[in-house]
Amino acid sequence: MSKRRWKRLIAWVALIALVWFALDWLAGWWYRRGPAVQVDAAPAQIERGRYLVAAADCAACHTADGGAPFAGGVPLASPFGVIHGTNITPDAQTGIGRYSADDFFHAITRGEARDGHQLYPAMPYVSYKTIARADSDAIYAYLMTRPAVKRENSANGVGFPFNVRTGIHAWNLLFARAQARPASQGQSPQWKRGEYLVETLGHCGECHSPRGWLGQVDRSNPLAGNDALGRFAAPDLTPQGLAQRGWDRTGLLAYLGRGVAAHAVASDEMLKVVNLSTSRLSQDDVGAIASYLLGDAPPAPVALAGANAAAGGDGAPAQSRYFALCAGCHGRDGQGVPHVAPALAGNSGVRDPNPHNLIVAILDGLPEHDLPGLERMQDMPGFSAQLSDQEVAELAQWLRARYGGQSAQVSAERVKKLRESAGSH
């Protein structure tokens, strides 16, 4: 091809791109100038919307710590940079005050805002695409009758080329239509209700399923766990994964309803989920979630293997560190102290085949836990400055062997990587 033809081709491509961006800008300008919408909904629909907003865990991403309800600003970590939850109050300038019910349904099920720009898949529209229209309308009615808050959306920290939202069209073509494969087996009405609550409204797979290199949820391994999104890993929620860590229906009901079970306390992002979502659901719906996670024929919880304090090596130094650093709160034999520190003996996190969360807890510590009702757990100091990578690995390995029946090695290299990644979350 001659130089002249190349120049013409480049000029045409540039012209088409210019026209595309101009039309996109004009469309956004036009939609932003639309009239504010006034919603007059029946009290029953608004109350239904309030319940569904909790079931969908909207506040976790759209209400910042110390901020106005649903006014946005929550930083959401992703492999592509920080994305902030947006303002979904009925403010006409900075929120969704110009959205109709149709606009809202389109946005949450197709990932496209009213002005035509593509939403980042951090907004779980791939999960919400199966939401019932009546449920979407109820959520819309509730949000549109909340106080309007004028707050500009926070700037995202997504770098090139992922900050070019037009490219999300291609991502959607590849991944947005993927159908969720059930994580358990069942056909009962309770199981089906749980499937809707977990896979659609609760969008649990967005955190608890593995993801591909373009950030897409791996639909072939639903709820199989993910340790690549936040500082703490989202554990395996399949029936087999839960049973391996000692979970049964009674434990799940307590954990989802109150944040505290015999062998686990909700922490980090799950503490938000319990406080803002599952603790506010009816007993029937919490039961339905448990039914779906375990299946209509739940596997029996795996019995805790016998303690082996020296598994994988000499456990004496690690045991001494446990008595010096941990036993004051967790008990001399890991039995825990009610309302102070959870038990480590049989603890779900200690029994997890993946030592990620145990290592992070030892390194970083944990904040005070404010749980539903009057339940509290005190803060836990981190020991990153006191213990070397090898010492943390030895302590984690001893804890897993002594209280979790786990014999797999915990490497100092694994600890080092998690220590170095602390600032990126």
Side-chain angles (χ1 to χ4, degrees):
M1 184 180 291
S2 67
K3 287 186 177 180
R4 177 177 292 181
R5 289 184 176 180
W6 270 113
K7 288 180 180 179
R8 286 179 179 175
L9 178 60
I10 293 171
W12 274 110
V13 170
L15 179 62
I16 292 171
L18 181 63
V19 171
W20 173 273
F21 283 110
L23 290 174
D24 186 61
W25 183 87
L26 285 170
W29 175 82
W30 174 258
Y31 279 110
R32 285 191 292 271
R33 288 175 59 87
V37 176
Q38 299 296 321
V39 172
D40 183 18
Q45 187 186 35
I46 294 173
E47 177 59 22
R48 176 66 177 163
R50 179 199 62 77
Y51 183 85
L52 293 169
V53 161
D57 202 21
C58 302
C61 292
H62 294 280
T63 302
D65 291 341
F70 308 113
V74 180
L76 308 170
S78 86
F80 310 105
V82 175
I83 299 169
H84 289 91
T86 56
N87 185 343
I88 56 171
T89 73
D91 180 67
Q93 300 298 323
T94 62
I96 60 171
R98 290 191 169 96
Y99 277 61
S100 67
D102 288 340
D103 294 331
F104 183 80
F105 181 71
H106 182 80
I108 68 170
T109 60
R110 299 290 296 277
E112 188 172 80
R114 181 178 178 274
D115 64 4
H117 80 262
Q118 298 300 300
L119 303 178
Y120 285 118
M123 207 295 284
Y125 56 86
V126 178
S127 294
Y128 287 162
K129 68 178 180 289
T130 50
I131 193 171
R133 178 59 194 259
D135 287 350
S136 172
D137 288 350
I139 291 172
Y140 170 78
Y142 175 76
L143 292 175
M144 291 293 284
T145 52
R146 299 307 92 201
V149 179
K150 189 174 183 62
R151 183 192 182 279
E152 294 289 346
N153 289 318
S154 302
N156 294 315
V158 180
F160 183 83
F162 304 106
N163 60 342
V164 181
R165 299 208 186 209
T166 304
I168 300 176
H169 286 290
W171 191 94
N172 288 337
L173 286 174
L174 290 171
F175 306 119
R177 295 183 181 180
Q179 298 298 313
R181 194 182 78 183
S184 68
Q185 300 298 314
Q187 287 296 324
S188 68
Q190 193 175 36
W191 182 92
K192 291 181 179 179
R193 173 63 178 171
E195 181 183 27
Y196 181 67
L197 289 166
V198 170
E199 300 291 359
T200 298
L201 285 178
H203 56 277
C204 304
E206 300 282 341
C207 288
H208 285 274
S209 295
R211 287 180 177 261
W213 67 280
L214 284 176
Q216 77 278 13
V217 172
D218 182 357
R219 300 291 172 180
S220 65
N221 291 294
L223 303 185
N226 187 341
D227 61 5
L229 282 180
R231 180 62 171 157
F232 284 86
D236 185 338
L237 296 185
T238 63
Q240 296 73 26
L242 289 168
Q244 184 179 35
R245 304 196 305 279
W247 287 100
D248 58 12
R249 183 178 179 85
T250 299
L252 283 177
L253 293 178
Y255 183 85
L256 295 170
R258 303 191 304 274
V260 179
H263 61 301
V265 174
S267 188
D268 195 54
E269 293 301 316
M270 268 310 299
L271 180 56
K272 286 186 179 180
V273 171
V274 170
N275 277 331
L276 299 174
S277 180
T278 57
S279 66
R280 305 184 182 197
L281 303 184
S282 68
Q283 291 185 353
D284 285 346
D285 276 350
V286 173
I289 292 172
S291 293
Y292 177 73
L293 292 177
L294 294 172
D296 278 347
V302 176
L304 181 63
N308 181 8
D314 181 10
Q319 184 177 32
S320 296
R321 291 189 194 99
Y322 175 80
F323 288 142
L325 301 175
C326 315
C329 292
H330 291 285
R332 183 173 179 82
D333 200 25
Q335 71 271 23
V337 177
H339 319 301
V340 175
L344 295 179
N347 186 280
S348 179
V350 178
R351 293 186 66 176
D352 197 324
N354 183 355
H356 181 115
N357 287 348
L358 179 59
I359 294 171
V360 170
I362 294 171
L363 287 173
D364 300 359
L366 295 167
E368 181 182 2
H369 285 39
D370 290 331
L371 295 147
L374 299 177
E375 183 63 77
R376 299 288 184 273
M377 290 287 170
Q378 74 175 27
D379 63 315
M380 169 185 161
F383 301 105
S384 177
Q386 293 175 247
L387 301 178
S388 69
D389 294 338
Q390 183 61 38
E391 289 169 338
V392 171
E394 290 172 356
L395 178 57
Q397 187 167 316
W398 183 85
L399 289 168
R400 284 159 53 79
R402 180 74 177 88
Y403 299 125
Q406 297 290 324
S407 59
Q409 294 280 331
V410 178
S411 70
E413 183 62 27
R414 180 76 179 271
V415 176
K416 180 182 178 181
K417 289 181 178 178
L418 287 172
R419 187 193 296 270
E420 291 174 347
S421 69
S424 63
H425 296 286

